[in-house]
Amino acid sequence: MVFKKYIIPRFIQYITVLFIGITLVFIIPRLLPSDPVEHQLNRMTAQGQYLDPAAVEEMRETLQELYGLKGGLFQQYINYWKRLFIGNLGPSFTQFPTPVVELIKISLPWTLGLLLVSLMLSWVIGTMLGGIKVSFPNSILAKIMEVLAMGMRPIPYYIMALVLLIIFAFIFPVFPMAGGYSMGAKVGFNLRFILDLFRHAFLPIMSMVVLEIGGWFLQMRNVASNVVEEDYVVYAEASGLPKLKIIFRYIMRNAIIPQITGLALNLGFIFGGALITEIVFSYPGIGTLLYSAILAGDYNLILGINIFSIVGVSTAMLIIDLIYPLLDPRVRYQ
Amino acid sequence: MLRVFKRLFRYDKRFRFGFSILTLFIMIALISLFSPYNMKAWNTVPRDMASSLKYPLGTNSMGQDILWQAMVAIKNSLLLGLIAALISRIIAIVLGLLAGYKGGLFDRIVMTINDSFIIIPLFPVLILIASILRTSLSITVLGIIIGLFGWAWDARLFRSQILSLKEREFTKTAVLSGMKTYKIITSEHLPYIIPLIMAATINNVIWVIGMEVTLSMLGLSNLNTPTIGTMIYWALQYQAIFLEKWNWILTPIISCIVLILALYMLSTSISEYLDPRTRLQMIKGE
């Protein structure tokens, strides 16, 4: 029953999103007036190398082949999907002939770590604070937290990261300015290296957590303030259940469901934020890889990261959606 | 409309604050039209001057007056936000209202596309576009591109409002008395959601300004046009943090934060006004 009513529609949605997203990435460069192949050739000639016309022509052919720009539009589109199905995103142009997939694989653990830790911290803290604020609306601490969380929320990721960098890495140099671990540190599974990793990850994670708490807090507060007025909460209070039990088992438990939907919906935005934060702190993840691709004009790498992010984010969302029935009995027993 | 505005201004501190700051920024934007220097040119004034009467915030290493530069930058960033918000508003309102009202297959198709736009991480996609166009990205082109991508959340929001308005008595009365669909939407439903549209628009402007700052910091916009983002870009290029040229790097950062906070206060104030319970508290409390 759940399978037919819930899981199959989710799966269809997943396939549709992938299809639309990946097609978008295919169409955009072809709609825009500037041609990446010409752009690449111009860059090479602008560097002052002398290239004889025959070589340029040959280069153009090779590049078109590489970028999948050969043949008619429809043929290109078919080839594009064929390549994607076998997980081939083509070679990186600046680090030729390393495949793009290889580069993403190296950077992925860093981004994943940053994203998971900050997401979990901000989600748990924001949700808890929201629940506390609704349960004790007049406590001063809750009010201060509210003002802080709300004041931080609208600030763009980039500005927040930059401000933290200036304050905690430059004015008070407690944390390192850049990188994922100290230069020359021995990579290994020992305490010293782990502490070093932690020190480098602290500011990027902080800057994301501080920004994201506000959103979770706000949503939790809004949902929970409706739950508080439900009859069963009033009944629980009247029957003298311990306050903590009411907060956790009755109020939070019921208000947490939209928080999980929110997690799925905001994933794309938060993923973008992680990339931006990485760039500011030169954290060696996908964001920094993307930045190096922009600087080098590595069109294929940018394209590859785009496709990867679309697949990654929508798959993560599908997983959250599939866990959802386990948490919401109403979906389970529909 | 004006009544809502007056009431908010009178009873809500945040609205008052946000509105005053925004007015200040708009005035700055207007004054910047009379800038004595050409802000695209370098070395119009002596380089690296500390702040003085002649250059209130000093000058930067490119020989530009920081105060005037910041004013022009604020104007351009606001303009960009406005262009992008306008375009995404048109798409969001038309699609949201139509999908909500028509329902059926049309609704399902629109919402599928809409959800895809919500799920797809827009930041890498915008980078893809910007890295191809790069130098030809003027304020207008950048605004249009960001606008074309920033409508999905709000279309969903407007649609959900229409879905509930559709079930109300007055809609049925209008339908039974033979009103045309577009007439019902424009004259019966639109007025209801105007405050919501305003709050959503302000949030959208915040997002656009942040996006511009981010794209510029990556060097992906026309770097000769002063905006808040390009100002930060050049300050970082000249190592303003390490050389402790705080007047250069902090001016755009602080104006960006203040502007965004002011806009955010306006939007939360309006959206809380939409919730009758908090509105009651607000009037009682004062």
Side-chain angles (χ1 to χ4, degrees), chain A residues 13 16-17 20-21 24-25 28-29 32-34 36 39 43 150-156 158-159 162-163 165-166 170-171 177 218 221 225-226 229 265-266 268-269 271-272 275-276 279-280 290-291 294-295 297 299 302-303 305-306 309-310 313-314 317, chain B residues 14 112-113 115-134 145 149 153 156 203 206-207 209-211 213-214 217-220 228 232-233 236-237 241-244 246 249-250 252-253 256-257 260-261 264 268 272 277:
Chain A
Q13 189 197 25
T16 328
V17 169
I20 293 180
L24 200 67
V25 173
I28 287 171
L32 297 176
S34 112
H39 190 71
R43 275 175 77 95
M150 302 290 292
M152 300 286 188
R153 196 172 106 88
I155 297 174
Y158 173 59
I159 297 279
L162 195 60
V163 169
L165 184 82
I166 292 177
F170 188 75
I171 300 181
M177 288 205 92
L218 191 71
R221 192 194 66 185
S225 64
N226 286 328
E229 288 170 5
L265 283 179
N266 282 302
F269 184 73
F271 178 77
L275 299 190
I276 297 166
I279 296 172
V280 177
L290 183 60
Y291 185 47
I294 297 167
L295 289 183
Y299 170 77
I302 299 179
L303 211 60
I305 291 176
N306 254 287
S309 355
I310 291 169
V313 169
S314 40
M317 192 168 150
Chain B
R14 278 173 312 174
T112 308
I113 298 174
D115 286 351
S116 307
F117 268 83
I118 288 179
I119 298 164
I120 294 168
L122 291 181
F123 175 62
V125 176
L126 283 174
I127 284 189
L128 174 68
I129 300 176
S131 66
I132 296 173
L133 289 179
R134 221 168 256 216
I145 289 171
F149 282 89
W153 277 104
R156 186 162 256 289
N203 280 333
I206 294 176
W207 179 74
I209 292 176
M211 198 39 100
V213 170
T214 314
M217 144 271 212
L218 300 173
L220 290 177
I228 293 178
I232 299 177
Y233 173 85
L236 290 179
Q237 284 292 309
I241 296 180
F242 293 103
L243 301 173
E244 310 200 5
W246 298 124
I249 180 80
L250 288 185
I253 291 184
C256 178
I257 294 177
I260 281 177
L261 282 183
Y264 185 64
T268 43
E272 275 182 22
R277 268 180 310 177

Side-chain angles (χ1 to χ4, degrees), chain A residues 4 19 21 63 71 90 172 183 190 196 229 231 301 311:
Chain A
K4 219 173 163 188
F19 179 76
L63 282 175
F172 309 106
M183 251 194 262
N190 53 47
D196 193 46
E229 288 170 5
D231 288 341
L301 187 51
V311 175

Side-chain angles (χ1 to χ4, degrees), chain B residues 31-39 44-45 54-55 65 67-69 71-72:
Chain B
I31 295 172
S32 80
L33 296 176
F34 303 102
S35 158
Y37 312 108
N38 172 11
M39 275 309 151
T44 46
V45 290
K54 198 167 172 215
Y55 313 111
D65 184 290
L67 181 70
W68 280 106
Q69 171 107 17
M71 288 167 80
V72 177

Side-chain angles (χ1 to χ4, degrees), chain A residues 29-226:
Chain A
R30 287 166 177 81
L31 277 185
L32 297 176
S34 112
D35 179 359
V37 172
E38 293 306 319
H39 190 71
Q40 196 78 49
L41 287 174
N42 283 343
R43 275 175 77 95
M44 291 170 117
T45 37
Q47 280 164 1
Q49 289 166 292
Y50 171 74
L51 299 166
D52 77 282
V56 171
E57 201 45 52
E58 206 168 302
M59 187 89 79
R60 182 171 290 134
E61 293 266 311
T62 326
L63 282 175
Q64 280 180 341
E65 185 84 41
L66 271 178
Y67 289 150
L69 289 172
K70 270 211 152 165
L73 206 58
F74 187 69
Q75 190 58 40
Q76 287 177 24
Y77 189 59
I78 300 285
N79 287 341
Y80 173 75
W81 275 104
K82 267 191 198 153
R83 270 174 48 203
L84 287 186
F85 264 116
I86 51 170
N88 178 10
L89 297 176
S92 153
F93 202 77
T94 38
Q95 302 183 40
F96 198 80
T98 324
V100 166
V101 179
E102 208 54 48
L103 290 174
I104 293 178
K105 241 186 231 162
I106 298 169
S107 313
L108 184 62
W110 297 94
T111 304
L112 222 51
L114 194 65
L115 201 60
L116 283 180
V117 175
S118 64
L119 205 56
M120 255 158 34
L121 278 177
S122 64
W123 192 84
V124 170
I125 299 174
T127 307
M128 293 291 259
L129 283 178
I132 291 170
K133 164 76 187 158
V134 170
S135 312
F136 307 99
N138 294 319
S139 103
I140 297 197
L141 191 71
K143 275 188 183 157
I144 294 176
M145 288 312 296
E146 183 176 26
V147 171
L148 275 181
M150 302 290 292
M152 300 286 188
R153 196 172 106 88
I155 297 174
Y157 279 97
Y158 173 59
I159 297 279
M160 179 53 96
L162 195 60
V163 169
L164 284 187
L165 184 82
I166 292 177
I167 297 176
F168 293 108
F170 188 75
I171 300 181
F172 309 106
V174 250
F175 292 103
M177 288 205 92
Y181 49 85
S182 303
M183 251 194 262
K186 269 209 194 98
V187 180
F189 194 73
N190 53 47
L191 189 67
R192 218 166 123 211
F193 184 67
I194 292 173
L195 279 179
D196 193 46
L197 274 185
F198 185 75
R199 234 168 65 85
H200 280 80
F202 187 83
L203 274 187
I205 289 178
M206 257 335 264
S207 104
M208 290 180 67
V209 169
V210 165
L211 286 182
E212 285 159 14
I213 282 179
W216 303 125
F217 171 83
L218 191 71
Q219 193 183 337
M220 185 67 182
R221 192 194 66 185
N222 291 348
V223 178
S225 64
N226 286 328

